[in-house]
Amino acid sequence: MTTPALLPLSGRRIPPLNLGPPSFSHHRATLRLSEKFILLLILSAFITLCFGAFFFLPDSSKHKRFDLGLEDVLIPHVDAGKGAKHPGIFLIHGPDEHRHREEEERLRNKIRADHEKALEEAKEKLKKSREEIRAEIQTEKNKVVQEMKIREKKPLPAVPIPNLIGTHGGDPEDNDLREKREKIKEMMKHAWDNYRIYGWGHNELRPIARKGHSTNIFGTSQMGATIVDALDTLYIMGLHDEFRDGQKWIENNLDFSVNSEVSVFEVNIRFIGGLLAAYYLSGEEIFKIKAVQLAEKLLPAFNTPTGIPWAMVNLKSGVGRNWGWASAGSSILAEFGTLHMEFVHLSYLTGNPIYYKKVMHIRKLLQKMDRPNGLYPNYLNPRTGRWGQYHTSVGGLGDSFYEYLLKAWLMSDKTDHEARKMYDDAVEAIEKHLIRKSRGGLTFIGEWKNGHLEKKMGHLACFAGGMFVLGADGSRMDKAGHYLELGAEIARTCHESYDRTALKLGPESFKFDGAVEAVAVRQAEKYYILRPEVIETYWYLWRFTHDPRYREWGWEAALAIEKYCRVSGGFSGVKDVYSSTPTHDDVQQSFFLAETLKVLESGGYTSKNKPRMWSTLQELEMAFGTNYTFVSSVEQLSSHNIYTLFVLFSPPFLIMEWIKINKSKRTI
């Protein structure tokens, strides 16, 4: 027999009140007086219990807390003195007992006053009739609804949009390169057109069943994830009719006032990232408006004791929670650590610093925390501020946290030294504890689990090759060459994971145990779901080294996708890359259009000559004759005219880098 789940008050069915005459009219006054007395007694006891319980908490100096910059706390903290055992740590009971007693007495008085005030309010409420109480509740409801309508109609501040040089120009002179580029564009058309026919408005497509598809990361509503996610790819490829179709759907159908629980991380990178990228590319206000509307719906996820957001949030109620499988209710590093760039741009576009403050608060907390072996565990409890399971990976659960640190530094024109230091510290620990070379000479990134290195690397971790290359410039102790070499070694390992399969497509993860190298062992790890990370690393290596092998490897992957993943209704992942007759999983992921095809289309098929790379925005200014700046503090956000050409990471591709490519199309 199962125990019934406890529902929030809003979800319970409350029987309607019987407003008719009572059965025994001669007891009417007595019964009402009894009801009032009982209600008042229960309310008084409940308030006394809630507020008074704090004084029965154990008085122990072992109870530590982080100073998270939060002002309104129930128990005041006292700075540890110079002679304290743990300097820099705040204790609930510090060495200054006299000061603590004074603060405790003030707190007692405040609780007593609040208690008396609550009792008085309860007495006043009980004097009113049911009709009056209902009228007050309805008035408050109407007031909230009206305030929400006013806020939604309030126009956003006008901000300058950069003239994105290269967005319309240049075909490669070489016929072979032009044909390859057109082939990738045709693959995009095939994916989009079939989604347009069979899955329009749904989050994703089932290309074999030819119908819409969704997963729990998008909740129960059909929010058109593929449309929003693919907008910038359509624009970049010059598919402007398709872009306008997507824009019309967003204008008329994209609604975030739905009773649906969504992933904060996924909605941020796919929806807010996609909308902001589309806005910067096209200048269409609707994309900015929708991005801000959605961001407001995500803010309640940050209402936790530590400010670390919940993994999931209900867009209508604002109620948040974490995944049940995530280490005793923890939040995930790659999820709460992959909000920074989008939220900084939201503050810039709205003039509202709240988005910036939310992500900077996360960074402040992480900087205060001890890290085992200098590594960031993948799990952090948002209630206690303590790490969960000591599991560290550069693949799933951790990956984009490190990526966003580096790109926050780049986005700030290399002035966000805090982000760069956190990135450098993390990479040094990763290199020391996670990166190893196999017996066969392949460099891989393992996973740290409770003091043990698991010799397994995930497809998601293959993005790190490109990250190391991108972060080489500005690295400590002039180790740029070292990180270029490390990125190349990771790219080689990931290419081997592709080359050692029957389909020439990489598995979800692969082992390095004994004689087994860069090969998946478990059946559950042999699938390929149209992921972009390996191709992304090829892209970075090609742009920075101009070694033709990376462009060739990218084209090999494109041909394999075309041969084994293409079906009549779109593109599908495959369940076993080691089988020459693969079974399809019948899902066309939104990131296939948003990331994989975008990187392939820009994968060096622009010119035979080496492209000119700009490593800083100052160099970009000299090249283009335009003042491109970005601010590093929130105080400047509302006062500066900012041209943010190092704009938005619409994973895993930077529009700024795409501009560099297209600039080379026009000039070389």
Side-chain angles (χ1 to χ4, degrees):
M1 179 176 179
T2 59
T3 304
L6 294 175
L7 294 175
L9 288 174
S10 59
R12 299 176 185 167
R13 295 186 61 85
I14 302 175
L17 296 173
N18 183 4
L19 301 179
S23 302
F24 304 97
S25 58
H26 58 285
H27 291 302
R28 181 172 184 174
T30 304
L31 289 173
R32 283 191 174 178
L33 187 60
S34 300
E35 289 172 356
K36 290 180 180 180
F37 178 75
I38 292 170
L39 282 173
L40 186 60
L41 185 62
I42 293 172
L43 184 61
S44 175
F46 178 73
I47 294 172
T48 303
L49 179 64
C50 289
F51 285 97
F54 290 106
F55 298 106
F56 296 95
L57 293 173
D59 185 348
S60 172
S61 61
K62 294 180 181 179
H63 290 81
K64 302 177 184 178
R65 66 180 294 280
F66 291 107
D67 178 17
L68 304 179
L70 305 177
E71 301 295 338
D72 300 320
V73 291
L74 289 173
I75 302 297
H77 67 270
V78 181
D79 292 356
K82 293 182 180 179
K85 184 178 180 181
H86 300 287
I89 299 296
F90 293 109
L91 307 179
I92 291 178
H93 298 284
D96 191 346
E97 292 296 331
H98 177 70
R99 176 186 169 193
H100 177 73
R101 281 194 296 272
E102 288 181 350
E103 292 185 358
E104 188 175 87
E105 185 60 31
R106 283 196 297 270
L107 181 59
R108 287 180 185 275
N109 293 335
K110 184 178 184 303
I111 292 174
R112 202 172 289 118
D114 289 342
H115 181 199
E116 292 174 358
K117 182 180 177 182
L119 286 175
E120 288 298 322
E121 290 177 354
K123 289 178 182 178
E124 292 297 322
K125 290 288 184 186
L126 289 172
K127 291 178 182 179
K128 297 179 180 180
S129 67
R130 290 170 179 164
E131 289 75 14
E132 288 175 323
I133 293 174
R134 284 177 175 173
E136 284 186 3
I137 293 172
Q138 190 59 46
T139 300
E140 289 298 320
K141 280 185 178 180
N142 294 338
K143 184 179 178 182
V144 171
V145 171
Q146 195 63 29
E147 288 176 354
M148 290 178 65
K149 287 181 178 179
I150 293 172
R151 188 166 65 248
E152 288 177 359
K153 291 180 180 179
K154 183 180 178 181
L156 295 174
V159 293
I161 301 176
N163 179 21
L164 299 183
I165 298 174
T167 55
H168 301 290
D171 286 323
E173 296 177 1
D174 185 276
N175 288 333
D176 180 58
L177 297 180
R178 188 184 300 114
E179 289 175 2
K180 289 177 178 177
R181 186 161 165 255
E182 287 301 314
K183 178 58 184 176
I184 302 300
K185 185 175 177 179
E186 185 276 330
M187 292 169 69
M188 178 67 182
K189 278 276 293 175
H190 180 70
W192 175 266
D193 288 347
N194 279 282
Y195 169 78
R196 182 72 175 83
I197 296 169
Y198 303 115
W200 192 241
H202 289 263
N203 290 314
E204 292 174 321
L205 172 68
R206 293 184 62 186
I208 297 175
R210 298 191 177 187
K211 63 181 182 179
H213 169 76
S214 191
T215 63
N216 61 344
I217 61 175
F218 302 119
T220 56
S221 297
Q222 299 308 324
M223 298 168 61
T226 295
I227 298 173
V228 180
D229 215 1
L231 282 172
D232 54 348
T233 305
L234 293 170
Y235 196 97
I236 288 169
M237 290 186 177
L239 299 173
H240 296 301
D241 289 339
E242 290 81 357
F243 180 88
R244 282 188 287 271
D245 286 344
Q247 179 179 340
K248 289 176 183 176
W249 186 90
I250 288 170
E251 289 174 347
N252 299 325
N253 300 283
L254 187 57
D255 179 20
F256 303 120
S257 300
V258 291
N259 185 19
S260 184
E261 190 180 53
V262 301
S263 164
V264 175
F265 160 71
E266 296 287 356
V267 165
N268 176 64
I269 63 171
R270 301 196 199 207
F271 284 82
I272 295 181
L275 289 166
L276 289 180
Y279 169 68
Y280 279 118
L281 284 167
S282 69
E284 296 291 340
E285 284 286 313
I286 185 62
F287 300 127
K288 180 174 71 171
I289 292 169
K290 290 292 185 180
V292 175
Q293 287 176 354
L294 177 55
E296 289 182 351
K297 295 288 187 178
L298 298 185
L299 286 177
F302 292 83
N303 295 336
T304 66
T306 60
I308 296 294
W310 299 113
M312 309 284 286
V313 68
N314 187 294
L315 293 177
K316 187 172 185 178
S317 68
V319 175
R321 69 175 179 91
N322 276 341
W323 302 106
W325 51 264
S327 186
S330 292
S331 297
I332 298 169
L333 182 68
E335 296 194 339
F336 65 78
T338 309
L339 304 168
H340 186 95
M341 288 197 290
E342 291 86 352
F343 273 50
V344 167
H345 277 279
L346 285 167
S347 283
Y348 159 60
L349 290 172
T350 63
N352 186 351
I354 188 170
Y355 306 105
Y356 174 88
K357 288 180 178 179
K358 293 294 185 186
V359 291
M360 290 306 293
H361 178 80
I362 294 172
R363 184 188 290 183
K364 182 192 296 185
L365 186 147
L366 291 176
Q367 286 180 310
K368 288 177 178 286
M369 299 186 67
D370 291 329
R371 300 188 302 278
N373 297 315
L375 297 169
Y376 287 92
N378 290 335
Y379 300 106
L380 178 62
N381 192 303
R383 293 186 178 91
T384 65
R386 295 187 177 93
W387 297 119
Q389 178 188 2
Y390 281 1
H391 173 210
T392 298
S393 80
V394 183
L397 307 179
D399 48 8
S400 48
F401 165 70
Y402 308 101
E403 183 178 24
Y404 267 47
L405 287 176
L406 174 61
K407 289 174 179 175
W409 174 70
L410 290 168
M411 190 174 70
S412 72
D413 193 12
K414 303 185 180 180
T415 61
D416 188 351
H417 304 298
E418 188 177 69
R420 180 73 210 208
K421 182 182 184 303
M422 291 177 70
Y423 170 79
D424 287 335
D425 290 345
V427 167
E428 286 180 2
I430 288 167
E431 193 168 6
K432 181 178 180 180
H433 296 287
L434 304 187
I435 296 180
R436 296 289 184 270
K437 192 178 285 286
S438 70
R439 293 179 181 178
L442 295 178
T443 300
F444 66 94
I445 309 174
E447 297 186 10
W448 191 266
K449 290 187 176 180
N450 296 316
H452 170 72
L453 181 66
E454 185 176 5
K455 296 179 179 180
K456 179 180 77 172
M457 184 172 178
H459 192 289
L460 288 167
C462 285
F463 92 96
M467 180 181 73
F468 292 143
V469 171
L470 184 62
D473 184 26
S475 56
R476 291 173 179 168
M477 297 178 290
D478 195 25
K479 296 177 69 175
H482 167 73
Y483 286 113
L484 281 169
E485 183 178 352
L486 179 60
E489 290 177 356
I490 296 297
R492 174 173 170 251
T493 298
C494 294
H495 177 258
E496 285 298 315
S497 76
Y498 273 52
D499 200 47
R500 297 180 184 188
T501 70
L503 307 185
K504 304 304 178 184
L505 293 170
E508 183 68 4
S509 61
F510 39 95
K511 297 269 190 175
F512 294 88
D513 286 336
V516 176
E517 293 194 359
V519 174
V521 176
R522 297 172 59 240
Q523 187 62 39
E525 298 172 341
K526 295 180 179 181
Y527 61 88
Y528 173 72
I529 57 172
L530 307 172
R531 289 199 186 277
E533 290 78 20
V534 173
I535 299 168
E536 178 190 0
T537 280
Y538 297 162
W539 186 90
Y540 277 112
L541 265 296
W542 159 250
R543 301 314 302 178
F544 279 88
T545 70
H546 201 56
D547 188 329
R549 83 175 77 177
Y550 301 114
R551 187 163 62 183
E552 292 166 5
W553 289 353
W555 185 242
E556 288 174 3
L559 292 178
I561 292 171
E562 171 72 5
K563 182 175 181 179
Y564 296 109
C565 299
R566 183 167 182 148
V567 295
S568 60
F571 287 87
S572 168
V574 293
K575 295 182 178 180
D576 187 348
V577 293
Y578 298 97
S579 171
S580 57
T581 55
T583 302
H584 294 98
D585 65 13
D586 196 20
V587 178
Q588 180 175 282
Q589 306 278 350
S590 79
F591 57 70
F592 176 65
L593 292 80
E595 305 181 49
T596 309
L597 291 175
K598 185 191 300 171
V599 179
L600 281 170
E601 196 268 349
S602 300
Y605 309 124
T606 56
S607 173
K608 286 184 176 180
N609 300 318
K610 183 174 181 177
R612 173 72 173 96
M613 294 298 292
W614 290 277
S615 61
T616 67
L617 291 185
Q618 286 91 345
E619 289 185 33
L620 184 67
E621 178 182 341
M622 294 174 62
F624 291 168
T626 309
N627 182 25
Y628 299 106
T629 61
F630 200 82
V631 297
S632 58
S633 64
V634 70
E635 289 79 9
Q636 295 173 284
L637 286 171
S638 60
S639 60
H640 278 235
N641 290 329
I642 308 164
Y643 286 103
T644 54
L645 270 193
F646 200 98
V647 248
L648 197 59
F649 182 64
S650 183
F653 187 80
L654 289 164
I655 292 176
M656 180 62 194
E657 293 161 344
W658 173 76
I659 294 168
K660 293 173 185 174
I661 298 171
N662 284 273
K663 177 67 177 177
S664 69
K665 290 181 187 177
R666 302 204 317 160
T667 59
I668 298 176

